[in-house]
DNA sequence: GCAGAGTGCTTGCTATAGCAAGCACTCCAG
DNA sequence: CTGGAGTGCTTGCTATAGCAAGCACTCTGC
């Protein structure tokens, strides 16, 4: 999907449907939503709920997440790193603690965008962080 | 969160709110939703849209995804990897950064020995770590 | 005691999501 | 030509999401 990340969900659905070479009614039937409503969604007249998006994704045989991203209700995340996935799934952490760790992890990665720093620099980093 | 992955979103929100030790109105204000509506959501009388869940997540300072998972609109992605192993193996972090993250992770887990704690504690931890 | 602050909930309303019934059109076979 | 199948859209309706106004309660200070 070239262009903006959060575009018109309706246009995106129509595009995917046309790529799949199925009619509006065929998709509506496969998705279990009414065909007039799907038409309205595609033309931007209605704003579908996440549940409807889930059904449409099923009918299109694509991930619901892809539609959520287009609809602006989910961040477009490239595959989680192992660290991120592990933190999210860790049952010994509260939701808030997970968010804190993820934020710190992310800020560390930003610092390292020019490369992983030498151990001497990392020393200073630790002192700041621990204090 | 032991037990079913997709439970009552209302109970979950109330639980997170009570862990954060904030009143219903405080969360409603922080989230930008009406307090009666939040009350209805917590009691399972209404079914909030993804947009409202997003706002509530912001007010609770947790990820929207966590609420989506509870609401059944997003799959809970499993991670087979352990947090500690993942941090150690992450090539985008320096060794010192890894240690910092591991220390924080460890201290979070220590705090949680009697159970998953109130997020207010995690708040303090974050301030220390970033400074 | 009363007033004020804070709490969670009730109630009635508006806007709109999502549907069913059906229209208008195109295409093709008999 | 007509009828049938398929297409996308219009229209009017119902159910409900989400809100504002306000109630009933608890607690505290004067």
């Amino acid at each position: 999907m070239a262009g903006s990340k959060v575009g018109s969900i309706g246009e995106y659905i129509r595009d995917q449907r046309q790529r799949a070479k199925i009619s509006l009614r065929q998709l509506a039937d496969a998705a279990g939503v009414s065909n007039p409503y799907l038409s309205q969604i595609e033309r931007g007249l209605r704003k579908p709920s996440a549940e409807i998006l889930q059904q449409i994704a099923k009918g299109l045989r694509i991930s619901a997440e892809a539609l959520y991203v287009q609809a602006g209700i989910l961040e477009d995340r490239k595959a989680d790193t192992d660290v991120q996935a592990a933190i999210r799934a860790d049952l010994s952490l509260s939701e808030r603690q997970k968010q804190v760790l993820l934020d710190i992890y992310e800020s560390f990665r930003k610092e390292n965008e020019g490369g992983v720093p030498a151990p001497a620099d990392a020393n200073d980093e630790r002192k700041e962080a621990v204090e």
Side-chain angles (χ1 to χ4, degrees), chain A:
Chain A
M1 49 190 141
S4 69
K5 280 283 180 275
V6 182
S8 157
I9 181 63
E11 285 175 14
Y12 183 75
I13 288 168
R14 177 164 289 190
D15 185 50
Q16 294 298 316
R17 174 170 67 80
Q18 289 171 342
R19 284 162 188 254
K21 293 185 166 67
I22 58 175
S23 72
L24 186 143
R25 280 187 202 231
Q26 287 170 338
L27 175 56
D29 288 343
V33 305
S34 75
N35 78 71
Y37 189 52
L38 179 58
S39 173
Q40 288 169 331
I41 292 166
E42 287 193 353
R43 289 173 289 130
L45 300 184
R46 296 295 164 93
K47 178 170 165 340
S49 66
E51 284 77 20
I52 293 290
L53 289 178
Q54 220 172 15
Q55 287 173 245
I56 292 169
K58 184 196 74 184
L60 285 171
R61 301 170 80 165
I62 63 175
S63 77
E65 282 87 356
L67 293 188
Y68 295 161
V69 168
Q70 283 299 316
I73 63 176
L74 188 65
E75 291 288 319
D76 183 15
R77 269 184 309 198
K78 298 307 173 195
D80 276 356
T81 64
D82 285 347
V83 172
Q84 288 165 325
I87 289 171
R88 289 185 208 282
D90 194 302
L91 297 182
S92 62
L93 298 174
S94 73
E95 290 298 326
R96 180 69 200 130
Q97 287 172 335
K98 289 176 187 176
Q99 195 60 38
V100 168
L101 278 171
L102 289 169
D103 288 345
I104 295 168
Y105 175 68
E106 213 42 57
S107 70
F108 280 168
R109 293 199 339 142
K110 277 204 174 74
E111 285 177 17
N112 297 344
E113 269 166 4
V116 178
D121 291 344
N123 246 336
D124 298 336
E125 205 143 89
R126 182 185 181 187
K127 282 178 181 169
E128 282 180 10
V130 177
E131 285 166 355

